[in-house]
Amino acid sequence: MPHRIAVLALDGLLPFELGIPQRIFGRSLGFEPHNKGRKLYEVVTCSIRPPGPVRTDADFTINVERGPETLAAADTIVIPASYELGPVYTEGRLTDELAAAFARIRPGTRMVSICTGSYVLAAAGYLDGRPATTHWSSAEHFQQLFPEVRVDPDVLFIDDGDVLTSAGVAAGIDLCLHIVRRDHGTAVANDVARRTVAPPHRDGGQAQYIQRPVHETQFATTTSARTWALGRLERPILLRDMAQQESMSVRTFTRRFREEVGVSPVQWLTRQRVERARQLLESTDLSIDQVARDAGFGTPTSLRQHLQAALGVSPTAYRRTFRAGKA
């Protein structure tokens, strides 16, 4: 059976965010021989009331054909943002309708919020004592309203196991792709990203909002350097080599790179190599030594250290766990 995802449509919802789960999860197809081409998720939309219209923040309503009973059968529940949260936003408590709907949710159901959907999770008690994020512009208010939540206002999303939260709008795409990658591996997630024309991987720790002055004239970007580096991850790459691709000094390049990407060139390069190693561990039978070389870490020890720092597991454990999950 496909993994069942229920998207909770609340009055005042943002139509764009409501469509993200259907687009990402609904387009995730199997790659393995036993499920090749089959949908990996069943995505349905429901309301906290009986079937009927739900208001949006746009100039139209949507008709939702499923009620709160849908939540009882879900494996994952996604809550997009809403601009009409009422006492959830002002007092930090659920309405009677929301509380009754949440009472139907089975223990162990994975809970996911996009943008200010995190207010609903917090009001329901899912975020007590846990790390979470929300849209940067709401982070201070969110922390004041829910002091027991460990709010990180700077990241794109946070994966805390069975509860995941994301920042605003586009970060919801990043989080959904992350969930697909976590559930089914990089090949499936990258395939969905390509067909959605979205970046295949933006790390959750990347800054969600980078404030910088707007230049009157367009300045050179660091795109060419990143493309050049991605084509030779298995080789040594020095910062000055990347700067030369853009005809910049190392200092200027480093500053521009951080402005555009949100992390330093060295941090970005390490993340790309970790991602390459994950792909190789998942999709090939290459030895750990060869994976380390092909990903640009050089030695198994270096690969092990970086994978442990990024994912908390060794290369061998990562490969074994992923393949066990597939089986």
Side-chain angles (χ1 to χ4, degrees):
M1 291 290 294
H3 185 97
R4 293 166 296 185
I5 294 181
V7 185
L8 186 58
L10 301 173
D11 281 327
L13 64 85
L14 283 65
F16 181 91
E17 294 189 8
L18 182 68
I20 290 173
Q22 183 62 249
R23 178 68 188 187
I24 301 300
F25 297 118
R27 297 296 181 91
S28 298
L29 305 178
F31 270 68
E32 300 297 312
H34 68 280
N35 66 1
K36 188 173 180 63
R38 293 177 58 185
K39 288 192 173 184
L40 299 173
Y41 300 93
E42 177 190 353
V43 187
V44 297
T45 305
C46 66
S47 171
I48 59 174
R49 298 187 296 270
V54 173
R55 296 188 299 275
T56 72
D57 76 325
D59 61 343
F60 57 85
T61 61
I62 61 172
N63 187 60
V64 178
E65 299 180 353
R66 295 176 176 84
E69 67 281 353
T70 303
L71 299 175
D75 301 308
T76 294
I77 295 173
V78 181
I79 306 175
S82 165
Y83 286 152
E84 296 182 23
L85 292 177
V88 172
Y89 186 83
T90 58
E91 303 173 34
R93 64 174 180 85
L94 298 179
T95 63
D96 291 342
E97 276 188 319
L98 262 175
F102 268 63
R104 298 173 179 266
I105 299 173
R106 296 174 298 164
T109 300
R110 182 166 61 187
M111 304 297 293
V112 178
S113 68
I114 299 176
C115 193
T116 54
S118 55
Y119 277 78
V120 179
L121 290 185
Y126 283 95
L127 301 180
D128 289 352
R130 307 181 75 156
T133 192
T134 190
H135 193 285
W136 62 267
S137 65
S138 299
E140 184 176 354
H141 175 262
F142 185 85
Q143 184 67 89
Q144 292 173 351
L145 195 62
F146 304 106
E148 66 278 9
V149 181
R150 304 202 309 271
V151 181
D152 187 340
D154 297 323
V155 298
L156 294 179
F157 60 82
I158 290 178
D159 179 345
D160 196 39
D162 60 342
V163 179
L164 302 93
T165 54
S166 76
V169 194
I173 298 176
D174 298 312
L175 177 56
C176 289
L177 285 171
H178 167 77
I179 292 172
V180 173
R181 185 179 297 106
R182 194 180 92 171
D183 289 350
H184 299 287
T186 55
V188 175
N190 288 350
D191 177 66
V192 177
R194 280 193 298 270
R195 288 187 284 115
T196 309
V197 196
H201 180 63
R202 288 203 300 170
D203 187 82
Q206 185 171 326
Q208 62 168 287
Y209 178 69
I210 308 162
Q211 189 173 21
R212 61 174 182 262
V214 178
H215 297 267
E216 293 183 1
T217 58
Q218 185 176 8
F219 56 77
T221 72
T222 58
T223 303
S224 295
R226 295 199 298 274
T227 302
W228 174 83
L230 288 173
R232 50 181 296 132
L233 286 177
E234 73 283 1
R235 308 178 200 175
I237 298 176
L238 300 177
L239 185 56
R240 68 169 180 268
D241 296 331
M242 295 183 69
Q244 286 176 358
Q245 304 305 310
E246 306 291 355
S247 300
M248 297 180 188
S249 68
V250 169
R251 182 177 180 180
T252 299
F253 175 78
T254 301
R255 175 172 55 81
R256 292 274 174 84
F257 194 100
R258 187 179 286 277
E259 286 178 348
E260 294 175 18
V261 183
V263 295
S264 71
V266 173
Q267 290 172 316
W268 176 86
L269 194 58
T270 298
R271 290 176 182 177
Q272 302 312 308
R273 285 175 164 155
V274 167
E275 186 68 12
R276 173 70 61 83
R278 291 177 64 177
Q279 294 173 356
L280 294 173
L281 289 169
E282 292 176 15
S283 60
T284 75
D285 292 319
L286 293 175
S287 68
I288 301 301
D289 287 41
Q290 189 61 53
V291 170
R293 288 193 293 271
D294 288 355
F297 289 117
T299 67
T301 300
S302 179
L303 170 62
R304 189 176 302 108
Q305 290 172 344
H306 283 95
L307 208 64
Q308 186 73 40
L311 305 175
V313 296
S314 69
T316 301
Y318 181 85
R319 172 175 275 171
R320 183 172 58 245
T321 301
F322 179 80
R323 293 189 174 177
K326 286 288 188 182

